[in-house]
Amino acid sequence: MKHADLIIAGGTILPMTVSSESIIDGAIAITADRICDIGDRTTLLNTWSASEIIDATGCVVMPGLINGHTHAAMTCFRGLADDLGLEDWLHHYIFPAEARHVTCEFVYWGTLLACIEMMRSGTTTFCDMYFFEDAAAQAATTAGMRCLLGGVLIDFPSPNTKTPAEGLAYTQSLIEKWNNHDLVNLVIQPHSLYTCSPDLLMKGKKLADTYNLPMGVHYLETAAEFALLHTKFKEGPTAFLKERGFLSERFIAFHGVHMTPRDIEIFAASGASVIHNPESNMKLASGVAPVPAMLNAGMNVGIGTDGCASNNNLDMLQEIDTTAKLHKVQLRDPTVMKAHTVLDMATRMGAHALCLNGVTGELRVGLKADLIMIDFNKPHLTPVYNAFSHIVYAAQGSDVDTVIINGRVVMRNRRLLTVDEYEVMAKVNELAEKIKKSLNLGIVKHEQ
């Protein structure tokens, strides 16, 4: 008999691979950080023994969710400035608060809080764009989460760096420190085409090409950005990216709300991906990304929550529910964005977007053991006719029972094993008190 470190036995397994079907009463064997076998429970338990066996009876076992775009440390700004337009929100609230308060300590504790929230709701991998990303990497490794991160490259001074040259140097230092880490992956992240000069964009691209890293950029999030970029780039922003060699399977566009049919055609041909952030786009009234058209064109599309200051949570199960329903009402077609498609976007397609395909996003032999158990023994999940449908339309973050990342159990029976969540919440509340005082935030008056 073969020996594994851990076996998940029982329940329904959703591998989320391109061709495989659900496994009723299945089992998964894990050795070190990888899946070494998967199949029906009886056969697997007759083949493998393990130091530990977790009973998944009554649960659905599936790959961990992948949050394709967020600003994790902005948990510290949750609810700071709601019900505002993007420009007002950024320039009058978020940018001033960041200038005064964002430090390594802020990013560490804010990211750790984000990791807690994400793990509790079934996310095992996230793509982060923010400042002091070395502190974010430290927080993610403390929590035991897989991440893709990179410091913001931007033309004007930030809390982290004062010049574009400093931003590039900081990004280089992140690569030198964290590249080839087991949990931390790197991405080159110019903030956007409207906050970065063509020179900075090209220097970021050179860095990405040198180290074969992905590049992620906020792209066509608002109508105002669309108009600005079509003035800035006479050939249009997508043509600019194509002609200068940005577009490939290593390019990630965050949002893509105002992409045209021609933009979609170019992206699909290049292999570039989009990360859809429906709740943030809805809350800031940025618009609805043409995701069904993207998928029909053969584009790869993942899902992200964006940051807590514009969402206001990091619950990917809630995000996928919104993704499925938003496009049905937008197109007045209940058949678009089927449950299985949306779950693909939150797992396998999300991994592909982040250049982590072959690492995570699916349950198959040889991949990292990043998986979650969702407890279906709940009134709102009874009875079960279709597990995919239940996960997208009925499951809640609080239904996630157990989380395993890189072969390590980080949450069991809803109890986090890697971090003290009450200590983290206390630290973030201390930071929030300082923010309230500095911005003169008192009791909010309710307006009709």
Side-chain angles (χ1 to χ4, degrees):
M1 180 171 281
K2 301 177 184 178
H3 185 77
D5 295 320
L6 175 65
I7 290 176
I8 312 298
T12 298
I13 299 175
L14 307 183
M16 301 310 299
T17 59
V18 174
S19 58
S20 64
E21 298 181 354
S22 304
I23 304 172
I24 307 300
D25 196 23
I28 300 171
I30 297 168
T31 298
D33 59 351
R34 296 184 183 273
I35 296 170
C36 57
D37 199 0
I38 182 170
D40 71 272
R41 173 159 63 170
T42 300
T43 301
L44 191 142
L45 290 180
N46 285 333
T47 306
W48 294 86
S49 63
S51 305
E52 179 181 10
I53 297 178
I54 295 178
D55 184 5
T57 302
C59 295
V60 164
V61 183
M62 62 173 288
L65 302 173
I66 295 176
N67 188 342
H69 175 59
T70 191
H71 310 284
M74 292 186 85
T75 51
C76 296
F77 293 142
R78 193 195 318 262
L80 174 65
D82 288 337
D83 304 321
L84 299 171
L86 179 60
E87 295 301 313
D88 188 16
W89 176 78
L90 275 176
H91 292 284
H92 296 124
Y93 292 90
I94 299 303
F95 284 165
E98 287 179 334
R100 295 180 191 180
H101 296 285
V102 174
T103 63
C104 284
E105 179 189 31
F106 176 103
V107 171
Y108 177 79
W109 290 108
T111 303
L112 205 49
L113 181 64
C115 289
I116 291 169
E117 183 178 354
M118 287 189 282
M119 290 190 299
R120 279 195 159 279
S121 51
T123 293
T124 56
T125 300
F126 68 101
C127 179
D128 192 50
M129 177 196 282
Y130 209 55
F131 311 108
F132 299 105
E133 286 290 80
D134 181 62
Q138 292 176 40
T141 55
T142 296
M145 282 199 77
R146 194 175 307 284
C147 63
L148 186 77
L149 53 80
V152 179
L153 297 176
I154 201 163
D155 276 343
F156 48 81
S158 76
N160 196 170
T161 58
K162 302 308 177 189
T163 66
E166 286 184 20
L168 289 163
Y170 184 78
T171 299
Q172 177 75 48
S173 71
L174 288 174
I175 295 170
E176 292 172 357
K177 180 174 180 178
W178 293 101
N179 209 16
N180 299 317
H181 189 276
D182 207 28
L183 289 174
V184 179
N185 302 272
L186 283 304
V187 55
I188 307 303
Q189 296 195 105
H191 175 267
S192 65
L193 268 63
Y194 64 89
T195 55
C196 294
S197 67
D199 179 65
L200 180 55
L201 291 167
M202 292 304 298
K203 287 177 178 176
K205 179 182 181 300
K206 182 178 180 180
L207 202 55
D209 290 343
T210 298
Y211 292 95
N212 195 35
L213 296 175
M215 173 178 276
V217 183
H218 289 107
Y219 194 60
L220 295 178
E221 183 175 358
T222 67
E225 179 190 344
F226 179 91
L228 177 64
L229 293 184
H230 278 78
T231 299
K232 181 176 180 179
F233 303 104
K234 300 303 181 184
E235 70 269 56
T238 299
F240 167 84
L241 293 172
K242 178 185 177 183
E243 290 171 7
R244 287 156 183 80
F246 283 89
L247 299 181
S248 72
E249 289 190 355
R250 290 190 290 112
F251 189 85
I252 315 163
F254 305 129
H255 298 288
V257 174
H258 293 275
M259 291 179 69
T260 67
R262 179 57 180 158
D263 295 332
I264 293 171
E265 181 183 345
I266 293 171
F267 263 66
S270 72
S273 295
V274 164
I275 299 297
H276 182 36
N277 304 268
E279 293 191 357
S280 174
N281 295 154
M282 291 167 66
K283 184 164 179 274
L284 294 171
S286 298
V288 180
V291 173
M294 294 176 182
L295 295 172
N296 288 337
M299 275 183 62
N300 184 73
V301 185
I303 300 175
T305 61
D306 211 345
C308 275
S310 65
N311 185 305
N312 293 26
N313 65 54
L314 303 175
D315 187 339
M316 278 288 290
L317 284 171
Q318 181 175 311
E319 203 76 30
I320 62 178
D321 175 78
T322 299
T323 296
K325 293 174 181 174
L326 171 63
H327 297 282
K328 296 179 191 301
V329 71
Q330 168 76 1
L331 298 176
R332 294 183 174 86
D333 182 355
T335 68
V336 301
M337 303 300 284
K338 292 180 171 60
H340 198 301
T341 298
V342 175
L343 208 55
D344 270 340
M345 292 167 63
T347 53
R348 178 176 54 83
M349 295 172 74
H352 181 85
L354 304 186
C355 298
L356 293 174
N357 46 314
V359 176
T360 189
E362 304 171 63
L363 299 183
R364 56 184 170 92
V365 173
L367 268 63
K368 296 286 190 175
D370 295 352
L371 56 93
I372 60 176
M373 291 167 43
I374 301 175
D375 183 4
F376 265 45
N377 189 30
K378 302 286 184 71
H380 62 279
L381 296 175
T382 302
V384 181
Y385 297 108
N386 185 309
F388 294 97
S389 176
H390 263 17
I391 292 168
V392 173
Y393 297 119
Q396 304 168 6
S398 57
D399 297 324
V400 177
D401 177 85
T402 297
V403 177
I404 297 169
I405 304 174
N406 213 43
R408 178 188 185 190
V409 181
V410 297
M411 185 174 81
R412 186 199 301 269
N413 300 326
R414 298 292 301 162
R415 186 171 72 87
L416 289 172
L417 305 178
T418 58
V419 62
D420 183 342
E421 59 190 305
Y422 296 102
E423 178 193 14
V424 176
M425 288 190 290
K427 291 287 187 181
V428 171
N429 279 327
E430 289 176 12
L431 294 169
E433 285 302 316
K434 296 177 183 177
I435 294 169
K436 289 177 185 177
K437 290 177 181 177
S438 72
L439 297 180
N440 296 315
L441 296 176
I443 298 175
V444 178
K445 296 181 180 179
H446 294 280
E447 297 181 359
Q448 299 296 323

